Amino acid sequence: MQAERTLIVDAEAIATIVAKVGLGQLYDLTIARLETVGGPDAPVEMKQRDGFLIESPQLGLLEWMPALRHGATVSMKMVGYNPHNPVKNQLPTILSTLCAFDADNGHLRTVVDGTFPTAVRTGAASALASRVLARPDSSVLGLVGCGAQSVTQLHALSRVFTFSEILVCDKDVRAENSFAARSRLPEGAVRIAPLAEVEERADVLCTATSVAPHEGPVIRGTALKPWVHINAIGSDMPGKTELPLELLRKAVVCPDHVAQARAEGDCQQLTPEEIGRPLAELLQDPEAHERLSPVTTVYDSTGLALQDLVMVEVFEELARDLGVGHRIAIEATADDPQDPYSFLPGAVTRSWDGQPGARR
């Protein structure tokens, strides 16, 4: 029996899915799925990501992120991080591909673009963390960094909070000026402000920058509201941090994954004793915010393979339900699993010149 063909969910298929489901509903679905994936009874596990640090000719990363849902799916994301991409190559800083393998037989079941789902799930994870750690009446959102990730931070957080003001700043004036249009917001909904004002007025603050290793922090952190919640999402490699050490030490710091955040996130700056409970534990504790308020809180987001497992399953499910994407035969299999040539045309195997004495 031949293996099932592999489902390809490419950019065109994802665009169709979003058009039919709705962008807001997609964020709601992602937030709901992420909320349950890391629970203590969830039949999932993951390996810490690994990869190659590329230091020349320009700084970059190529990483793989594996996760397993027992009895169902092994997911693998290949992700490239190249901060020079927008200017040099007219490509996003983060490019990735998601693969879903059948956990029972190893069949490559689905291949999905990972660039869009990664941006969505990163925003959705911040929304989950902010729902637990930020004040429910938070009304001012501050965004430090106006790249692609900040767009999805804004959209995901807006599914959880009603913001009366959105303040943004970036060292790149072009990114500042184009942010409202890229966020599909009407004129006047976003205001460009000096960094000092963004820090002073934000109830929820997101740092989403491409700061180079050892060149942070990107905020001063000395004039924040006492109850501010910060989603730090830009730290994702050794030496790269966004927040001042003094701020981290006085805040309750909630990482997405302790070991990974200590290796690549803002938690690189802290000792184990200075790091709070990971997000998965806080999500199981509905009264966590009441006990923490009104202290400063930080979600140290480094990105999890379990989140990517959720995304490949979500888009696989939606593609099948909506009948989008296309299927191709990648694996060389046929009727006889013990015959490595069974998928080849007979004429090919009959023409083999490897009989004894035929070598020249």
Side-chain angles (χ1 to χ4, degrees), residues 72-91:
T73 303
V74 174
S75 69
M76 176 68 74
K77 183 170 84 170
M78 295 298 300
V79 55
Y81 170 80
N82 294 283
H84 58 272
N85 261 359
V87 173
K88 179 182 178 183
N89 301 317
Q90 293 298 296
L91 291 170

Side-chain angles (χ1 to χ4, degrees), residues 325-341:
H326 57 279
R327 294 184 178 275
I328 61 176
I330 293 179
E331 295 147 339
T333 60
D335 293 336
D336 186 350
Q338 294 183 314
D339 181 355
Y341 303 136

Side-chain angles (χ1 to χ4, degrees), residues 14 27 30 34 49 65 77-80 94-98 112-125 148-149 152-153 233 301-304 307-308 311-312 315:
I14 286 183
Y27 277 103
T30 301
L34 290 181
R49 66 189 178 206
M65 301 173 66
K77 183 170 84 170
M78 295 298 300
V79 55
I94 299 172
L95 290 170
S96 63
T97 304
L98 295 166
V112 182
D113 158 65
T115 304
F116 176 75
T118 294
V120 170
R121 64 84 157 146
T122 304
Q149 293 292 320
T152 55
Q153 291 286 307
I233 72 165
S301 172
T302 57
L304 296 183
Q307 297 167 349
D308 299 315
M311 297 313 290
V312 75
F315 278 96

Side-chain angles (χ1 to χ4, degrees), residues 52-62 81-89 213 237:
F52 298 105
L53 174 63
I54 302 168
E55 297 183 285
S56 64
Q58 290 177 287
L59 181 67
L61 281 174
L62 182 65
Y81 170 80
N82 294 283
H84 58 272
N85 261 359
V87 173
K88 179 182 178 183
N89 301 317
M237 69 169 64

Side-chain angles (χ1 to χ4, degrees), residues 236-298:
D236 51 14
M237 69 169 64
K240 184 179 177 185
T241 59
E242 292 185 309
L243 304 184
L245 176 58
E246 296 78 8
L247 168 62
L248 290 169
R249 283 182 168 161
K250 74 176 185 179
V252 174
V253 180
C254 164
D256 51 8
H257 186 272
V258 175
Q260 189 167 281
R262 290 197 67 207
E264 301 183 3
D266 267 283
C267 285
Q268 293 175 79
Q269 305 178 69
L270 300 177
T271 65
E273 296 75 22
E274 294 173 314
I275 300 172
R277 299 160 66 190
L279 178 59
E281 289 185 15
L282 289 181
L283 291 175
Q284 307 304 313
D285 184 358
E287 298 179 353
H289 175 269
E290 285 76 7
R291 290 201 300 273
L292 292 174
S293 184
V295 301
T296 299
T297 55
V298 173

Side-chain angles (χ1 to χ4, degrees), residues 125-178:
S126 290
L128 267 179
S130 301
R131 194 172 67 188
V132 175
L133 296 171
R135 284 171 53 142
D137 61 351
S138 295
S139 61
V140 180
L141 173 63
L143 298 170
V144 179
C146 294
Q149 293 292 320
S150 285
V151 173
T152 55
Q153 291 286 307
L154 165 60
H155 287 168
L157 287 162
S158 296
R159 306 302 294 181
V160 178
F161 300 94
T162 301
F163 295 116
S164 59
E165 284 189 274
I166 301 165
L167 306 178
V168 304
C169 66
D170 196 304
K171 290 183 177 180
D172 184 345
V173 175
R174 292 172 300 176
E176 285 184 334
N177 291 335
S178 65

